[in-house]
Amino acid sequence: MVEWARLRHAYGSAEDVPGLLASLRAADEAERHEAFGELYNSITHQGNRYSASAAAVPSLLELIADPSTPDREFLLVLLGRIAVGLDEAWLPGGVRTDLLDEDGLRAYEAVGAGLPVLLPLLAEPELADSAAYVIGWYRGEHAALAVHGSPTSIVACGLAGSTPRTADDSPLMRWAGAIAAARLLGTAAGDDVRAELLDWAASGRERDHTVPYLEGDLAGYALLSLPLVGVDAFEPALARLRQVSAEPALTALGVALRQAFPDGPVDGRLTPRQQRLVQVVAENPSAGLYDGVEFANFSLLLAEYGLPR
């Protein structure tokens, strides 16, 4: 028996969680969606996990396993958030359990214990991608992932350590194949993989929310993957920084800063590469905007490296 009043979420006591979980079965759609939103914001607030996060997993798995449960795709999204928080923290390399705090580790392990419930969902077309996203964060030879045949499942294969199989040569599948190959093969990946990643990484492509990783920033994911295959990501990051704003620009800025400041924050005179980065940021002020307003995360990231906000 879970003593919910002893557990915590982002807003304090978790005693409201059982009622919210029960409301996920409600006949009224508005009631279900409100309960989902409250759970999403409380037990995975801004990607954080709490003592209530792991405790909610068995109930969520029970709901997901029941075909009569409405909105099961939403519940898989919540389960993925409980498992890994914000996936930007782990891409492109996958989850590092040694870096998780106690609540994060418990949440990750609780979802991992539910893989037997999730694997059969790969055979359900409307749930397959959402299930693949969650399963892929756990290392193992998940054979069903390898044959599912969607961009999400191909990337999940790479993260899980199994080799994907597909004959589809569409742009999204080529992207996914290159992402998986970078994860699995590293610098042994072929020139075709490098070329595919570079084509995406330096582009101004918009987000594609049909693929959940990095909130659909597929070009950003390609950019993050370039170092895996031995490619200097600095110039592609600057190219993307000139073309995008808000979260995609934040990803590009992070890559560029890590490449330009390998030893951390600025210490004295800027190197030519660091000066070049500062110039690109200064010449493209829209990169640091979110819906026309200053994007605080962008400014804060610059400040972390000792650069003016």
Side-chain angles (χ1 to χ4, degrees):
M1 185 72 173
V2 178
E3 297 185 49
W4 289 102
R6 291 180 175 270
L7 302 180
R8 311 293 290 177
H9 55 46
Y11 303 111
S13 170
E15 58 189 346
D16 59 336
V17 170
L20 295 172
L21 290 168
S23 292
L24 295 175
R25 284 190 182 273
D28 182 68
E29 182 181 66
E31 180 181 348
R32 293 197 309 271
H33 289 186
E34 181 179 359
F36 172 82
E38 291 191 28
L39 282 169
Y40 192 86
N41 288 324
S42 62
I43 62 176
T44 66
H45 183 69
Q46 296 182 350
N48 296 308
R49 274 69 56 78
Y50 309 86
S51 57
S53 305
V57 169
S59 295
L60 289 170
L61 288 169
E62 182 180 346
L63 287 165
I64 289 167
D66 183 355
S68 69
T69 300
D71 305 322
R72 286 195 292 164
E73 185 176 2
F74 286 0
L75 305 189
L76 283 167
V77 170
L78 178 57
L79 206 62
R81 185 75 166 229
I82 292 172
V84 300
L86 299 176
D87 64 12
E88 65 196 50
W90 308 115
L91 297 175
V95 173
R96 291 261 315 265
T97 56
D98 60 310
L99 298 180
L100 291 168
D101 62 20
E102 183 178 351
D103 288 332
L105 181 59
R106 286 179 178 173
Y108 180 74
E109 291 177 341
V111 175
L115 289 186
V117 172
L118 302 181
L119 285 165
L121 302 182
L122 294 172
E124 300 188 31
E126 69 279 8
L127 299 177
D129 274 359
S130 297
Y133 175 83
V134 180
I135 294 165
W137 295 108
Y138 296 86
R139 299 284 288 175
E141 293 297 323
H142 304 307
L145 278 177
V147 298
H148 172 48
S150 73
T152 298
S153 67
I154 297 301
V155 174
C157 269
L159 287 168
S162 57
T163 303
R165 301 190 298 274
T166 178
D168 189 336
D169 193 40
S170 66
L172 276 182
M173 291 298 277
R174 289 199 306 273
W175 167 85
I179 294 290
R183 175 72 177 86
L184 292 168
L185 303 176
T187 55
D191 289 340
D192 56 335
V193 170
R194 293 182 181 86
E196 186 70 27
L197 293 175
L198 278 166
D199 179 61
W200 282 84
S203 74
R205 287 182 172 93
E206 299 291 334
R207 287 188 281 190
D208 183 341
H209 292 288
T210 64
V211 182
Y213 296 98
L214 210 64
E215 295 188 348
D217 184 9
L218 310 191
Y221 197 164
L223 183 59
L224 291 170
S225 299
L226 286 177
L228 295 180
V229 297
V231 175
D232 186 340
F234 183 67
E235 290 298 336
L238 294 188
R240 182 144 175 82
L241 199 53
R242 294 187 186 98
Q243 302 173 78
V244 295
S245 61
E247 286 102 337
L250 184 66
T251 297
L253 177 64
V255 171
L257 285 166
R258 289 191 292 274
Q259 295 286 329
F261 295 86
D263 300 320
V266 60
D267 182 18
R269 192 175 184 86
L270 295 179
T271 67
R273 176 175 274 212
Q274 291 165 353
Q275 292 178 33
R276 182 162 161 69
L277 169 57
V278 170
Q279 182 178 359
V280 169
V281 172
E283 291 176 348
N284 294 275
S286 62
L289 300 181
Y290 191 106
D291 288 339
V293 178
E294 180 186 353
F295 184 29
N297 289 355
F298 192 93
S299 299
L300 289 170
L301 184 55
L302 286 172
E304 283 181 19
Y305 282 82
L307 299 174
R309 295 178 59 178

